[in-house]
Amino acid sequence: MSREVTPIVQQLRARGMRVTAARSAVLEWLADYPHATVEQVHEGVSQRIGSLSKQAVYDVLNAFIDADLVQQIKPAGHPARFERRTGDNHHHLVCRSCGRIEDVDCSIGAKPCLTPNHDHGFDIDEAEVMYWGVCKACQTAPVTSDDDH
Amino acid sequence: MSREVTPIVQQLRARGMRVTAARSAVLEWLADYPHATVEQVHEGVSQRIGSLSKQAVYDVLNAFIDADLVQQIKPAGHPARFERRTGDNHHHLVCRSCGRIEDVDCSIGAKPCLTPNHDHGFDIDEAEVMYWGVCKACQTAPVTSDDDH
DNA sequence: GTCGTTAACTTGACTCATTCAAGTTAATCG
DNA sequence: CGATTAACTTGAATGAGTCAAGTTAACGAC
């Protein structure tokens, strides 16, 4: 087994973070499955590396969020989702029925990509746009619940 | 005490909803305090009408949401908030530190006020815009938590 | 290589907002 | 002035996430 240094290892080292099986596996998993829930990351990664506590998944994801390697999406009424695409202020399209999420590029530009006509004295740093609708599958299918992706 | 029919009573009757002290008081309260949480509505209304279970607050608010008399806002990481302004697709400005919310008129127009450049086959019915920042009070004040309004 | 430090992980209890369920009360219609 | 049933009360249950104490293992120093 050659001991090559993968880009993931580099990304972690560059931020002074220890490299562990859990962390590498979570980053890899998110590359394959963007918009995954904690539940999904936990299942997938546990299988890949044998086992991992759910708490560890929370820890790893939070560490990544702090390190700007991962971004969190919290659609109202659905568990949080995680993705590796950070810093480009793109938006999301959420299915009301199954929770499925798709990326939507920001049509305007850099962040904050929209400026409110009245800032009420706030120091605004983000304009979060969430499109809500019903995905193709749920438009035709009978009644599905939060399984998705 | 004259028994005049208030607009609130009319609004309820018009929708075939029974008129109760709880319902009238919640609608009144929300007129005075837009963006209130369940907690706040519960405290305020309990005082006004003597007492009311928290569950009733949930029931009343949900009935109003179904009847389109009230709208719900769910900022990530904060409890839900309720307001009487419905149907005009205006947006919200949320303070990251105290959760305070301000209304922001939609600068574009009717709902959905923004159209994504790619609908991914979804049947989109809403573009929810949430501006995030730090309110004036929290910019200067030391560390506050979810008290607000 | 091995040792020590401490970040990362495990386990399990706990919180908070919200929902579910069963029983009681009271608004409205006849 | 009842009867019907929507609205309310009480209390248990849920789901997502956090907190806290103890154990393990990365990795820098020797």
Side-chain angles (χ1 to χ4, degrees), chain B residues 14-110:
Chain B
R15 286 167 177 76
M17 301 173 75
R18 289 189 185 170
V19 179
T20 67
R23 289 183 169 175
S24 306
V26 168
L27 266 194
E28 268 171 29
W29 179 268
L30 282 183
D32 294 352
Y33 302 95
H35 310 135
T37 59
V38 167
E39 189 64 37
Q40 292 165 339
V41 172
H42 180 228
E43 268 182 51
V45 171
S46 295
Q47 271 191 336
R48 280 203 194 172
I49 66 169
S51 80
L52 186 67
S53 71
K54 194 174 272 182
Q55 183 58 48
V57 177
Y58 277 101
D59 288 350
V60 168
L61 287 171
N62 284 328
F64 286 167
I65 290 169
D66 289 347
D68 252 311
L69 284 171
V70 161
Q71 186 181 349
Q72 197 176 20
I73 313 153
K74 291 190 165 186
H78 297 273
R81 313 221 161 210
F82 301 83
E83 66 179 352
R84 293 192 61 181
R85 229 180 123 180
T86 61
D88 64 344
N89 195 225
H90 66 283
H91 304 308
H92 296 99
L93 177 47
V94 188
C95 176
R96 286 199 192 277
S97 110
C98 71
R100 182 194 191 79
I101 291 191
E102 296 292 347
D103 281 335
V104 175
D105 286 323
C106 177
S107 39
I108 290 112

Side-chain angles (χ1 to χ4, degrees), chain A residues 44-122:
Chain A
V45 170
S46 296
Q47 271 192 335
R48 279 204 195 171
I49 67 169
S51 80
L52 186 67
S53 71
K54 193 174 273 183
Q55 182 58 48
V57 176
Y58 278 103
D59 288 351
V60 167
L61 287 172
N62 284 328
F64 286 166
I65 290 169
D66 289 348
D68 252 310
L69 284 172
V70 162
Q71 186 182 349
Q72 196 175 20
I73 313 153
K74 292 190 165 186
H78 297 275
R81 313 220 158 209
F82 301 84
E83 67 180 350
R84 293 191 62 182
R85 229 180 123 181
T86 61
D88 64 344
N89 196 225
H90 66 282
H91 305 308
H92 296 99
L93 177 48
V94 188
C95 176
R96 287 198 191 277
S97 110
C98 72
R100 183 195 190 78
I101 291 190
E102 296 292 347
D103 283 334
V104 176
D105 286 324
C106 177
S107 40
I108 290 111
K111 81 197 276 192
C113 73
L114 291 162
T115 321
N117 42 20
H118 204 25
D119 72 3
H120 292 274
F122 279 51

